[in-house]
Amino acid sequence: VPELPEVETIVRGLSPGLTGTRIGSVAVIRPDLVAGDAVAFTDALSGRPVGAVTRRAKNIVIAVDGDVLVVNLGMTGRLMLSDADAPLPSHLGVRFDLEDGRRLLYQDVRRFGRLEVMDRVAWQVRADAMGVEPLSDAFDGSLLHRLTRGSRSPIKPWLMDQRRVVGVGNIYASEALHRAGINPRRAAGSLSRQRADRLVRAVREVLSEAIEFRGTTLLDYRDASGGRGGFAERLRVYDREGEPCRRCTHPLRRIVQGGRSTFYCTRCQR
Ligand SMILES: [Zn+2]
């Protein structure tokens, strides 16, 4: 499942090649991937100029005239630019033929992704209701400390709740808690201000490093040109049950929280 670093990597990969182009025609091959009516979707985008490509939470946001095309990759979605003569991939959901001959392709094996066209104002309203961006200045120890007050939820599922902080999924939540030395089972409301500071720093650090390494490819994720992410080898706890902690050599433990695997060190995470 792509998390914030993977989506950010795709946005950075698409932006230089896509901004300033114009969409020629649109072919919706899998209408279930498109929000609303597929014909209206096609009409709204055909022949229109493409502006900035940005990210909000785990959404790729492509400005198209006065509207935005919002792409959520779901579990296995891929959005990539390809040349006109490149063979089309399997499981193609939507094909955008650009006027310069290239193509923007949306491929999705499991089809949990979603593409939606909406006007900018409606999008802004929706975006404003989302949780805080963990790489923005707004996300600091003071905010995290305030938001967690009174919460009895364990900190790891708390961190993954998109209504509070966006884009931090299972992999990076485990990684950040290990870096911060915080037990994933600790009640969110019990975080001291000092631990909140440490956790914010760890979240920002792990996300930034993952972006630098173009994301984590475990199975499906590919960047905008079809490449794999390089962060998997740098994971310190995720999917390393029984292996030695990189800080203290104690064997790492796996537990299940909210139906998801959590990996942590019982010795150096308190
Ligand atoms: Zn340890």
Side-chain angles (χ1 to χ4, degrees):
V1 178
E3 298 183 25
L4 187 154
E6 290 74 42
V7 177
E8 181 66 29
T9 301
I10 292 167
V11 164
R12 292 181 186 189
L14 287 176
S15 181
L18 198 54
T19 302
T21 59
R22 186 180 286 270
I23 298 171
S25 58
V26 182
V28 177
I29 297 131
R30 291 287 188 179
D32 58 327
L33 288 167
V34 166
D37 178 56
V39 175
F41 178 88
T42 302
D43 288 348
L45 296 171
S46 299
R48 296 177 68 192
V50 179
V53 183
T54 55
R55 178 189 61 75
R56 175 72 172 106
K58 295 200 280 182
N59 301 288
I60 300 164
V61 185
I62 303 172
V64 182
D65 249 349
D67 293 340
V68 289
L69 167 62
V70 181
V71 181
N72 190 296
L73 301 171
M75 294 182 71
T76 54
R78 291 177 186 169
L79 188 63
M80 55 213 147
L81 264 173
S82 85
D83 292 328
D85 49 359
L88 291 173
S90 57
H91 303 285
L92 193 60
V94 182
R95 192 183 83 225
F96 304 86
D97 292 310
L98 305 179
E99 284 195 341
D100 63 14
R102 292 175 305 151
R103 291 166 169 158
L104 178 66
L105 303 173
Y106 182 76
Q107 175 199 31
D108 198 338
V109 176
R110 298 189 61 182
R111 303 218 304 276
F112 287 109
R114 188 177 166 93
L115 293 87
E116 183 170 9
V117 181
M118 52 201 300
D119 72 67
R120 276 181 207 207
V121 177
W123 165 246
Q124 201 53 54
V125 170
R126 191 189 294 181
D128 287 347
M130 294 176 181
V132 64
E133 284 286 338
L135 293 176
S136 72
D137 292 339
F139 185 61
D140 62 13
S142 151
L143 177 73
L144 181 63
H145 190 250
R146 195 168 74 238
L147 290 177
T148 49
R149 289 315 84 193
S151 171
R152 287 150 79 179
S153 160
I155 185 64
K156 193 218 175 204
W158 190 97
L159 204 52
M160 290 171 60
D161 186 333
Q162 302 296 305
R163 292 169 300 179
R164 300 175 182 123
V165 183
V166 297
V168 183
N170 205 35
I171 296 175
Y172 300 112
S174 283
E175 292 297 313
L177 287 164
H178 181 259
R179 288 181 184 218
I182 295 170
N183 189 315
R185 306 168 79 161
R186 172 183 279 278
S190 78
L191 278 190
S192 64
R193 174 59 205 272
Q194 199 183 17
R195 282 171 177 270
D197 284 342
R198 236 158 60 202
L199 184 52
V200 162
R201 266 202 307 277
V203 166
R204 296 170 74 106
E205 192 184 278
V206 77
L207 294 176
S208 304
E209 271 178 42
I211 292 169
E212 203 180 307
F213 283 85
R214 310 180 60 78
T216 302
T217 295
L218 297 176
L219 271 167
D220 298 298
Y221 159 73
R222 296 291 184 278
D223 68 20
S225 46
R228 298 170 65 92
F231 197 68
E233 294 99 82
R234 300 182 67 86
L235 296 172
R236 297 185 192 177
V237 286
Y238 186 80
D239 207 19
R240 296 190 65 236
E241 183 182 13
E243 292 178 49
C245 172
R246 296 205 205 277
R247 187 185 295 143
C248 76
T249 74
H250 195 67
L252 297 174
R253 184 165 178 207
R254 184 183 83 95
I255 56 170
V256 176
Q257 292 179 294
R260 309 293 303 275
S261 288
T262 298
F263 301 89
Y264 75 112
C265 177
T266 53
R267 189 180 283 167
C268 61
Q269 290 180 252
R270 299 289 169 151

